Amino acid sequence: MICFGCPRHCGALRTENTPSSGFCKMPYNAVLARAALHQWEEPPISGKNGSGAIFFSGCSLRCVFCQNEEISHGGVGKPVSRERFIEIMQELESQGAHNINLVNPTHFTAFLVDVLSTYKPSVPVVYNTGGYDSVESLKALEGLIDIYLPDFKYASPAAAKKYAAAPDYPERAKAAILEMRRQTKDRFSDDGLMLEGLIIRHLVLPKNTAESIEILRWISENLSKNTYISLMSQYTPCGRTYAYKELNRRLTSAEYDKVLNAFFELGLHNGFMQERTAADTCFIPAFDLTGV
């Protein structure tokens, strides 16, 4: 397969089990680092039993502060076949997972269309993405994904270029989120679990509150003020943040509060907020091939 699946448009040849020359350096079939019940998502995703989180290796974005650098940059993981991937989803379902949570799946969209067209889990499928997705790839997933859980990381091309070498990120993320919204309507079970819909995540970065506020402003002006937004305070210096002075520290309470105040001032209604204790590396899963 010649791959143009993500906005990088590498045009790399991707075959099964062989690393590619593309930006993600991944083969056609999924490479996984972990597949297990996960309790640390938003309450409507984790619920009581946990989300069936499948962590993909490689990345089409590779932000400098990624807390999953071991797999996103380092590529640690194991290639799995289409048949094994279906078995993994079934195993998570049998363990009581409230959903199948595809964590950072963008660069495996073609593989996922193939798999989910063959086997659709009995629980919702979550597309948990960094937000750097092409509209064309998302359209190919229509009807296969129940819940979209995108990040909206950067508001300006300058920040996106500096931290992810992707100056087109803001325009790509906006277009992707609008497509995700087109495909889904928010729907919940009686016990509060999300069955279908959209939750936009935003990680507040140190010294970057203006970026956060601009993202909230865009959401308030282009989507419903009832849009579900997860404002995360969990930023912990990881990856290559040692080279970026402004990122080489945790977020302050004043910075997070400034963004929270903007959320309310913009008239937004549905938000998930984090305690400061979420900023700890103990919440990073062990990428030890559990469940793979």
Side-chain angles (χ1 to χ4, degrees), residues 38-98:
H38 188 63
Q39 297 286 353
W40 307 117
E41 307 288 29
E42 288 74 11
I45 304 297
S46 290
K48 179 182 177 181
N49 297 344
S51 177
I54 300 175
F55 289 86
F56 294 84
S57 300
C59 187
S60 60
L61 203 52
R62 299 211 300 260
C63 300
V64 298
F65 51 82
C66 183
Q67 67 177 20
N68 296 346
E69 184 189 32
E70 181 183 3
I71 61 174
S72 63
H73 292 242
V76 171
K78 178 182 177 181
V80 299
S81 67
R82 177 172 164 273
E83 292 73 24
R84 176 58 189 147
F85 194 92
I86 290 173
E87 288 177 352
I88 288 170
M89 292 193 291
Q90 292 171 333
E91 289 164 7
L92 290 169
E93 288 178 90
S94 69
Q95 292 168 28
H98 293 303

Side-chain angles (χ1 to χ4, degrees), residues 43-48 98-99 124 147 185-197 228:
I45 304 297
S46 290
K48 179 182 177 181
H98 293 303
N99 46 64
I147 299 169
K185 293 182 179 180
D186 300 330
R187 190 166 59 88
F188 295 83
S189 67
D190 292 340
D191 53 357
L193 290 171
M194 183 170 256
L195 301 175
E196 181 186 2
Y228 287 88

